[in-house]
Each structure stands twice: as C-alpha cells, then as structure tokens.
C-alpha cells in the first residue's frame, strides 16, 4: 500500500478508487492549498496527484523525500511541473491527455461566438436593465460564414475546434511544426500556413499551443501587430502565451 497525496479537490469517484487501494492524504477544500501546507503534506509520499495550481519543483520534491516514485498531473498541460528535476530523481511524471479535448473546444467555440456576435455585451445590457433601441447596426457583430479561422497549434483540441468552426461555415487555416496527416487535413479542408501568413489573413485566431519557454508571450506586440485590425484573438491555451500588456496596448 502506497502513501498517495492529492494536492487539490478532485472528483469523488477518483478519490474513492485511490482510497480503496492506498493510504491517501487529500486536500478536499475548494480553496487551493497554501505552499507551506503543501510542503508539509507531501512529506513521505510515494506518489503525488497534483493539480495545475501546484508548482512541482526542487523544493517540493525535496520536501517529499527520496521515496517519491511518481507525480500524476490532473491536467493535459504540465508546465507546473519541473520535468527535468523529476527525471533527475527518477520520479515518473504523467498527465491526462484527451480528457478535456471536447470541453475545451466547446469553450473556444463559445468564446468565438461571444466575441464575434457581441453576445457578452448584449447580455450585460439586458442584465443592467438599461434602455436600448434596436437598430440595423446595433451590436451587429461579425458573421462567421466564409471567415477564416487560424488555429495556432493544431493538436487534438485545435482539430476539435476546427470541426465546430467548419460547421459554422468558416474556412480553416493552421500553423503547426509538421503538417496534419492527409486524412485529417482532407476532413477539415485545412490549409497549412506559416505563422505570419496565418496572422495576416485570419479573421479569428485561436491559440491551442502548449505553454513552454518557446511559446511564452508568443502573442506579443510584434505578432499581434501582424493581425488584421478587425480580427479576434481567442486563447484557451495557458494565459502567458499572450503578452497581456501588449494586447491591452493594441486595443487602445
């Protein structure tokens, strides 16, 4: 029986399965665990089930001890984990790819519709009970039919978003280190482009790349400046993929 530490609240079914076979110490509060409490809790753990809110680094690995065998991240992304530090100690790192593909694609498509059709603005007007008058151009927004969606990072989530966007009549462009396989490219009728071409020609740019030192502030003053003035930027990747200060300046 291993000692397993769960660093945040997870679905009860998963927690019960762990408890059936292991000695489990779990943080079951809604608020994230503090760093000091986390360092204390992981001491002596054989395995850690982590959430992306917890930073798994040298300090935490040392606090856990040399018996630690695995860190399992309940997320697709694992930028919260210092993988080389784990490798150095012989600690196995796992994640949960695929589990949020459709959900994240739904959210991305929802954001595309909310921004282009100005749904959020309209909803706020109704809730504020402010007077308004219909007009042909009042909160008109932009239709998606015939518009180009540019996907940065055409992995599973990017492809799922492309399928939704295609159903709305959008054309699909993407940038990726290697082109899509022939079957997926044919299904989506997707055109592979360089980053510069994609930014310059897309009406909506949707980010789905992993977060890494190479993609930190991928969307900065220079790259945002290459987009159409009328284009929309959607980010369902990690926040730091976008330089928020540069984005705020571009919106002025």
């Amino acid at each position: 029986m291993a000692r397993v530490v769960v660093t945040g609240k997870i679905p009860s079914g998963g927690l019960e399965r762990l408890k059936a076979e292991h000695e489990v110490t779990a943080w079951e509060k809604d608020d994230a665990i503090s760093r000091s409490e986390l360092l204390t809790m992981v001491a002596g753990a054989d395995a850690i089930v982590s959430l992306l809110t917890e930073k798994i680094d040298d300090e935490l690995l040392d606090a856990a001890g040399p018996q630690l065998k695995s860190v399992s991240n309940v997320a697709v992304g694992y930028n919260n984990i210092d993988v080389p530090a784990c490798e150095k100690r012989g600690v196995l790192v796992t994640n949960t790819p695929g589990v949020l593909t459709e959900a994240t694609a739904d959210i991305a498509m929802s954001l595309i519709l909310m921004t282009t059709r100005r749904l959020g603005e309209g909803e706020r007007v109704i809730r504020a009970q402010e007077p308004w008058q219909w007009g042909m151009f009042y909160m008109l927004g932009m239709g998606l039919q015939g518009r180009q969606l540019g996907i940065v990072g055409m992995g599973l989530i990017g492809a799922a978003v492309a399928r939704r966007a295609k159903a709305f009549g959008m054309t699909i462009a993407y940038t990726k280190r290697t082109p899509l396989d022939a079957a997926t490219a044919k299904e989506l009728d997707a055109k592979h482009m360089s980053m510069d071409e994609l930014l310059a020609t897309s009406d909506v740019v949707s980010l789905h790349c992993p977060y890494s030192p190479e993609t930190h502030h991928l969307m900065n003053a220079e790259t945002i400046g290459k987009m159409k003035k009328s284009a929309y930027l959607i980010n369902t990747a990690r926040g730091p993929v976008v330089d928020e200060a540069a984005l705020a300046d571009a919106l002025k």
Side-chain angles (χ1 to χ4, degrees), residues 142 199 201-205 227-233 251:
M142 182 187 83
L199 293 176
T201 60
S202 294
D203 300 292
V204 179
V205 175
M227 294 173 63
K228 292 181 179 182
K229 295 298 182 184
S230 58
Y232 297 84
L233 178 64
L251 293 173

Side-chain angles (χ1 to χ4, degrees), residues 177-192:
R177 290 179 182 176
T178 55
L180 284 171
D181 64 90
T184 305
K186 182 179 180 180
E187 174 202 354
L188 300 175
D189 194 18
K191 184 178 179 182
H192 186 242

Side-chain angles (χ1 to χ4, degrees), residues 90-101:
V91 175
L92 178 69
V93 177
T94 67
N95 64 340
T96 55
V99 296
L100 295 176
T101 296

